[in-house]
Amino acid sequence: MRLREAVREALRTLRVSWLRTVLTLFGIVWGTASVIFLLAWGIGVRDMIEGAYLRVGRNLVQVFAGQVGEDFTPAADRRTLWFTLDDVDVVRQRSRYASLVLPESHFFREVSYRQTATTLNVRGVTPEHVSLRGVRVAAGRPIRGDDLSHRRRVAVLGAEARRRLLGAHGGIGSIIRIGGQSFTVVGLLDDVGMQLWQDGPTRLDEQVWIPLTTLFLFGPRYGRDAEVVDNILLGLRDRRLRHEAEREVRAILAERLRVSLTDEEAIRTASPLASLEKLPLDQIDDLLFTLGVTTLAIGGVGILTMMLDAVQERRQEIGVRLAVGARRRDVLIQFFLETFVIAGAGGLLGAALGLAGCAALAAVAHGDLIPVPVVRWEIVAVALSVMSAVGFLSGLFPAWRASRVDPSVTLRAE
Amino acid sequence: MSAPPPVIELRGIEKKYLSGRFAVEALRGIDLRVDGGELVAIMGPSGSGKTTLMEILGCLLQPTGGKYLFKGQPIESIPPDGLARLRGEEIGFVFQSFNLLPRLSAAENVELPLTYRSVARRERRERAARALERVGLAARARHRPAELSGGERQRVAIARALVNTPSLILADEPTGNLDTQTGESVLELLFSLVRDGATVVMVTHDPRIGERAERLVTIRDGLIDGDGATGAAAPRRGAP
């Protein structure tokens, strides 16, 4: 029997017993749709969580100074440490893993606009901060190099800071007062949204950015020099090399600050990447994949049961086919193809359903609150491969059983 | 030029099988020769082994002893695929219960043996149509078995057996499920096939049918009890 004949025969049989076919299809359709939907949703969950973690800055490592550790000096003499702009320059020159090395300092000050006064986190920044943080300037301009060189009193407001301070009125050009000094608002940052990781007490949306050098004019803080750098921010070239980058910057700064390389209290690092690594995102992926594949396998068991039933019911037919010249191989191929046609049709329908489900959720979901499924061709490929494997395995056994039917028994039974 | 070999030649055919814990000897040494163009009726009581004999003749069952030559070729030397081809090309089956596939139309049922011989679709249709015409059912080609009467179903089964122009037609109680009148017309059809040159071996319970065959073979307890021209089914030579 030619393959085309066998496929035609399989389709005909399926058409004739259409109710059973449809019921069986349901399992495989649902299974394939589940695999696609769950995997796409898993990527959405990961994207949402990663997005919320990394909104503080992509590939960010924050380095800040503490005190000389207890193990390294008597408690009474513990030296308070801080960084300077020179330290930042040295790190920038020597670091092989960071593409951006930026200084940042900050304090809380009362910030007022007309009758409104509120305490806000004011950050002294550099022009590259916008790129390191990955935040868009919604209106106006960012802090520029010449703002730093002229120590201009200009400010860029985070979305929430703007709402609290300026309200519905005021925008670019508004004059605000920070710690009693007048600043001109030259830029407004875009809404950053939910942040699951912060490199300080406030979210980006709540901050007021001013030139770092202007911040230094506010004078010495906490008994340190005036030009204290609170944070050194590293933008890594490759997030997978975070440990190497941290070791490197720690070595450079330990030498600069004359502290022990192993003194973890002296030079500290923090990164959203480290927090992300602790999350069981891979396990979530694995769980979703297992759930999807199990659903599909259950669909496969449905096919298996149906086909075993079909073989039992059609023993007489098999006997007749063998009597009129079918080889056992022909019977095997026929039953296998019937299964595979069901699995194939179910897989394609399921893929369509899964993709439609993803599109539907993507249309209503908000990326911050509900994960948006992310469909990649690999997911469809995985779902269809798993479906093929399920179809293949669940088709093989019934087909083998069919090919073992003894025509002399089944024809005589009639 | 030597005479063509007989269509069937059985030498000491035995068939034993296990029924539960007991060994059953269904056939205990059958010798039989059927030449081309013969109509042979096989009769015997229930359990005498005649259906087993038919299944062996149709290569659906392998004997456990003896030798079966089909047109001179020993069956045991033919691999399973070759036996399938032999069934498809050389043998046509007619069963008591018709054994038509209920989901296929009459024409598709008749086409079935041809699909396993990779005959092109158009040719299959033409040959099935001719076979149905031969049995007088051209008008019912598109009907499913459930839409046909018993006699018509058996005619479709005969058309299916004919469609490959086989060397041998095996009919197992072909009139067993039919009323007398319908059975008569089916018999008449089989007889006409023999007149056209076919070889037919037919198992029957009905002595009136047996008597109408040219040759009647009676079988009892797995052995041939008599073999001869009808009306004078003489005891087999050498039988006790």
Side-chain angles (χ1 to χ4, degrees), chain B residues 77-97:
Chain B
S77 69
I78 304 176
D81 279 3
L83 287 179
R85 196 179 317 118
L86 185 82
R87 284 195 296 269
E89 295 177 4
E90 300 278 2
I91 302 172
F93 290 92
V94 179
F95 302 95
Q96 177 178 358
S97 53

Side-chain angles (χ1 to χ4, degrees), chain B residues 146-165:
Chain B
E147 298 158 348
L148 302 173
S149 70
E152 286 172 330
R153 286 183 212 177
Q154 197 58 301
R155 283 164 182 273
V156 173
I158 293 172
R160 181 178 66 190
L162 282 179
V163 74
N164 267 339
T165 51

Side-chain angles (χ1 to χ4, degrees), chain A residues 1-2 5 8 12-13 16 314 316-317 320-327 329-330 407-408 411-412 414, chain B residues 52 55 60-61 81 84 87-88 93 95 97 99 101 103-104 108 112-113 115-116 118 121 124 160:
Chain A
M1 197 183 217
R2 290 178 192 146
E5 294 291 339
R8 192 179 292 139
R12 192 213 331 248
T13 310
V16 170
R314 289 160 63 189
Q316 182 227 358
E317 172 193 329
V320 170
R321 288 181 185 275
L322 290 169
V324 302
R327 294 165 301 179
R329 195 185 328 151
D330 294 322
S408 73
L411 294 173
R412 198 187 280 211
E414 281 297 305
Chain B
T52 302
E55 284 163 358
L60 293 172
L61 210 55
D81 279 3
R87 284 195 296 269
F93 290 92
F95 302 95
S97 53
N99 276 330
L101 303 192
R103 289 179 290 209
L104 305 189
E108 288 166 335
L112 200 60
T115 57
Y116 293 109
S118 301
R121 212 167 169 203
R124 281 201 321 249
R160 181 178 66 190

Side-chain angles (χ1 to χ4, degrees), chain B residues 113-132:
Chain B
L114 301 174
T115 57
Y116 293 109
R117 289 181 58 195
S118 301
V119 176
R121 212 167 169 203
R122 178 183 293 186
E123 191 188 336
R124 281 201 321 249
R125 291 205 170 147
E126 287 168 5
R127 287 172 65 174
R130 277 203 300 275
L132 280 170

Side-chain angles (χ1 to χ4, degrees), chain B residues 19-68:
Chain B
S19 173
R21 288 186 299 135
F22 303 101
V24 176
E25 281 186 289
L27 299 176
R28 299 193 290 154
I30 300 275
D31 297 324
L32 182 69
R33 179 191 162 113
V34 178
D35 288 313
E38 270 195 286
L39 169 60
V40 180
I42 297 179
M43 285 190 67
S46 287
S48 58
K50 54 188 190 304
T51 299
T52 302
L53 178 61
M54 285 293 268
E55 284 163 358
I56 287 175
L57 291 178
C59 303
L60 293 172
L61 210 55
Q62 289 284 347
T64 47
K67 205 166 184 67
Y68 174 14

Side-chain angles (χ1 to χ4, degrees), chain B residues 116-211:
Chain B
Y116 293 109
R117 289 181 58 195
S118 301
V119 176
R121 212 167 169 203
R122 178 183 293 186
E123 191 188 336
R124 281 201 321 249
R125 291 205 170 147
E126 287 168 5
R127 287 172 65 174
R130 277 203 300 275
L132 280 170
E133 204 176 307
R134 175 74 183 80
V135 300
L137 280 180
R140 312 285 268 167
R142 302 181 72 159
H143 288 66
R144 296 250 168 96
E147 298 158 348
L148 302 173
S149 70
E152 286 172 330
R153 286 183 212 177
Q154 197 58 301
R155 283 164 182 273
V156 173
I158 293 172
R160 181 178 66 190
L162 282 179
V163 74
N164 267 339
T165 51
S167 307
L168 173 67
I169 292 174
L170 295 172
D172 189 0
E173 303 276 8
T175 59
N177 276 356
L178 302 175
D179 61 59
T180 316
Q181 198 180 348
T182 316
E184 181 59 33
S185 71
V186 166
L187 269 185
E188 199 41 56
L189 179 59
L190 286 170
F191 292 154
S192 75
L193 296 178
V194 177
R195 284 196 293 275
D196 291 350
T199 310
V200 175
V201 174
M202 178 168 58
V203 161
T204 180
H205 261 111
D206 188 341
R208 284 169 302 174
I209 297 173
E211 281 164 15

